């Protein structure tokens, strides 16, 4: 089976982790800060705080932004549930704005229209690794005094061009307060489980660090009759990552440029081969963005998309091609329907995409033969199904 995503681990990674395990540290050692600095430098951010997962990092970012009960955070229904759940953990309410049907990113105009007097933050995600229109999102935030948290879990290494023509790296936080990465094995680099928040604000960095350690920190500037005393100032959690995971992360970062180049090469090949095939990829202007290609999604152009997608999914899976569907829109998960009364039809663009969506395998270790086999099977199976549709 060719999976839809897969990590890359080699002997160098293993040696680096082994070396870390033989050191004096297991957790809370020096490799954590080294890893944080390496990612921050690559992305052009001032600070970074590593966490035990991308989900915990998102939760920490929501806490650091001061999001709490009664607040609303505007995000997209077309994301992994962890994005919206981070808002729920803080007792606040995620509010959805529908997507742009071509880029599949949240529509910045709809995002602006979803802002109310209760809105505290905007939480865009760079879907599949394609950067959102951060200038417009930042403008909305500035106008209403909102925080911007980027769920950049798909977008390590992505870049975009400002209207002034300048390239900005996702993670630099040039147009946001914080950006969040995940190091789950299907993401660009892995630490097993892991995540990170990048920021340019020292106050946010300090709050993120405190959150990672139960919200406990030294009370600043106090005369100290009890020198051992640290106090829990906010409700945090144990969100720590281990030293040996950061050893892996450090070594993985050495390979990031190669990973990105390989992902891009495969995506370009898919794009060329599928052109004119009624399998429509994400649309964007290549001169204005550098897509990070976390995954490669296509939309079936068909007048019975749900039926055809199901058939194509099953046929490809049976042929050993591990296609996948990203994602069931967040508002249609039963928990969200039960808790907030969402119904099918609430976010038509996200739902229309979902009915037609298929994710093709894409990961740096994928060989040219795997790509050939995938393309060949996709073309054969889709050919049979779409002709079937035409005869109906
Ligand atoms: C992977 C992912 C997360 C969660 O990251 P974990 O490290 O798995 O906790 C959050 N948001 C998005 C968009 C993701 O893809």
């Amino acid at each position: 089976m060719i999976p839809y995503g897969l990590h890359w681990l080699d002997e160098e990674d293993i040696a680096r982790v082994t070396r870390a395990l033989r050191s004096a540290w297991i957790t809370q050692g020096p490799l954590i800060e080294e890893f944080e600095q390496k990612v921050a430098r690559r992305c052009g951010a001032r600070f970074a705080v590593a966490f035990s997962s991308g989900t915990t990092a998102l939760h920490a970012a929501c806490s650091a932004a001061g999001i709490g009960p009664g607040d609303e955070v505007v995000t997209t229904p077309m994301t992994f549930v962890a994005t919206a759940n981070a808002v729920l953990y803080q007792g606040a309410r995620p509010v959805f704005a529908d997507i742009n049907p071509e880029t599949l990113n949240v529509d910045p105009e709809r995002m602006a229209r979803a802002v109310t007097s209760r809105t505290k933050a905007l939480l865009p995600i760079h879907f599949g690794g394609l950067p959102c229109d951060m200038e417009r999102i930042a403008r909305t935030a500035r106008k209403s005094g909102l925080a911007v948290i980027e769920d950049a879990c798909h977008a390590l290494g992505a870049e975009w061009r400002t209207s002034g023509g300048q390239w900005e790296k996702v993670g630099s936080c040039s147009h946001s307060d914080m950006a969040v990465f995940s190091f789950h094995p299907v993401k660009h680099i892995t630490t097993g489980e892991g995540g990170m928040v990048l920021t340019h604000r020292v106050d946010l960095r300090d709050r993120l660090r405190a959150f990672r350690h139960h919200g406990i920190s030294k009370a600043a500037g106090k005369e100290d009759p009890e020198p051992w005393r640290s106090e829990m100032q906010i409700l945090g959690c144990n969100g720590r990552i281990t030293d040996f995971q950061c050893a892996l992360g450090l070594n993985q970062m050495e390979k990031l440029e190669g990973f990105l180049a390989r992902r891009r090469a495969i995506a370009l090949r898919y794009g060329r081969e599928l052109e004119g095939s009624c399998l429509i990829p994400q649309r964007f202007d290549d001169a204005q963005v550098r897509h990070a290609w976390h995954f490669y999604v296509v939309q079936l152009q068909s007048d019975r998309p749900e039926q055809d997608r199901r058939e194509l999914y099953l046929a490809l899976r049976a042929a050993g091609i591990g296609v996948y569907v990203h994602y069931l829109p967040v508002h249609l998960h039963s928990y969200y329907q039960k808790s907030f009364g969402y119904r099918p039809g609430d976010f038509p663009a996200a739902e229309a995409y979902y009915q037609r969506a298929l994710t093709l395998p894409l990961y740096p270790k994928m060989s040219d033969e795997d790509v050939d086999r995938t393309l060949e099977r996709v073309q054969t199976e889709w050919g049979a199904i779409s002709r079937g549709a035409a005869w109906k």
Side-chain angles (χ1 to χ4, degrees):
M1 177 73 108
I2 299 175
Y4 89 83
L6 186 67
H7 59 274
W8 174 306
L9 271 191
D10 55 32
E11 288 306 318
E12 237 178 61
D13 291 314
I14 294 165
R16 191 96 173 237
V17 173
T18 308
R19 213 155 62 231
L21 284 169
R22 292 206 171 98
S23 79
W25 300 94
I26 293 284
T27 188
Q28 292 178 279
L31 296 181
I32 296 171
E33 202 169 324
E34 207 180 306
F35 181 42
E36 288 169 341
Q37 283 174 6
K38 191 155 188 145
V39 177
R41 256 200 316 277
R42 169 63 178 81
C43 297
R46 280 181 74 197
F47 308 113
V49 182
F51 288 89
S52 52
S53 73
T55 302
T56 307
L58 276 166
H59 181 189
C62 287
S63 166
I67 293 162
D71 293 336
E72 292 178 356
V73 175
V74 184
T75 188
T76 167
M78 186 40 64
T79 183
F80 184 50
V81 285
T83 313
N85 288 350
V87 177
L88 293 182
Y89 299 148
Q90 284 303 106
R93 185 186 171 105
V95 169
F96 301 109
D98 212 348
I99 60 168
N100 174 309
E102 295 194 336
T103 66
L104 311 177
N105 277 330
V106 65
D107 178 330
E109 298 309 322
R110 289 200 176 98
M111 194 170 231
R113 285 202 296 275
V115 171
T116 71
S117 58
R118 290 180 297 277
T119 307
K120 184 87 178 188
L122 305 178
L123 177 46
I125 95 139
H126 309 297
F127 189 79
L130 175 64
C132 291
D133 186 341
M134 291 308 297
E135 281 182 317
R136 277 158 89 187
I137 290 169
R139 217 179 303 138
T140 303
R142 241 190 339 268
K143 220 168 74 186
S144 306
L146 311 174
V148 179
I149 303 167
E150 296 171 75
D151 182 336
C153 289
H154 295 175
L156 180 59
E159 295 178 34
W160 56 278
R161 223 187 327 212
T162 65
S163 47
Q166 190 182 326
W167 284 99
E168 298 286 359
K169 293 183 174 69
V170 167
S172 71
C173 303
S174 62
H175 290 68
S176 69
D177 297 286
M178 289 173 273
V180 179
F181 292 118
S182 162
F183 308 126
H184 178 275
V186 298
K187 306 289 164 65
H188 288 83
I189 64 159
T190 191
T191 57
E193 299 282 356
M196 199 176 278
V197 184
L198 274 58
T199 182
H200 51 75
R201 278 173 49 183
V202 70
D203 61 326
L204 291 176
R205 179 203 63 185
D206 292 345
R207 269 184 258 167
L208 291 163
R209 283 183 178 166
F211 183 91
R212 181 169 65 179
H213 184 59
H214 309 278
I216 294 173
S217 58
K218 283 262 178 212
K222 263 192 199 162
E223 197 56 30
D224 203 351
E226 298 162 286
W228 54 84
R229 183 162 170 152
S230 290
E231 281 179 33
M232 182 177 141
Q233 323 258 354
I234 56 160
L235 181 59
C237 71
N238 174 359
R240 295 187 298 269
I241 191 168
T242 63
D243 239 41
F244 55 95
Q245 285 176 290
C246 291
L248 179 55
L250 278 162
N251 210 57
Q252 291 264 305
M253 279 301 285
E254 304 282 337
K255 295 189 275 262
L256 176 63
E257 309 316 319
F259 289 167
L260 287 164
R262 180 65 189 150
R263 283 178 179 277
R264 183 175 169 79
I266 296 169
L268 283 174
R269 174 95 199 281
Y270 278 155
R272 276 197 308 273
E273 303 279 341
L274 296 174
E275 208 170 321
S277 71
C278 301
L279 295 173
I280 315 295
Q282 220 172 350
R283 203 164 304 160
F284 62 95
D285 182 353
D286 209 28
Q288 300 301 319
V289 294
R290 295 194 185 121
H291 200 307
W293 296 113
H294 166 55
F295 51 48
Y296 194 93
V297 294
V298 293
Q299 295 186 69
L300 278 63
Q301 209 175 49
S302 148
D303 42 11
R304 40 169 223 182
E306 272 171 302
Q307 209 175 324
D308 284 356
R309 195 265 305 271
R310 185 183 144 80
E311 268 182 58
L312 183 59
Y313 173 90
L314 290 172
L316 288 171
R317 286 238 148 196
I321 312 294
V323 288
Y324 207 72
V325 173
H326 293 97
Y327 296 96
L328 174 66
V330 177
H331 69 284
L332 295 184
H333 281 268
S334 45
Y335 180 86
Y336 277 85
Q337 292 203 40
K338 274 194 307 241
S339 307
F340 300 102
Y342 288 120
R343 290 287 167 269
D346 286 343
F347 300 98
E351 291 170 35
Y353 161 71
Y354 168 66
Q355 288 180 350
R356 297 161 182 275
L358 198 68
T359 304
L360 304 184
L362 175 59
Y363 49 92
K365 248 200 166 112
M366 197 176 179
S367 66
D368 288 339
E369 292 70 40
D370 292 338
V371 178
D372 288 342
R373 208 179 113 211
T374 299
L375 277 164
E376 192 188 296
R377 294 307 300 206
V378 167
Q379 281 157 351
T380 312
E381 303 296 345
W382 176 238
I385 292 164
S386 53
R387 260 194 306 280
W391 292 335
K392 150 185 76 119

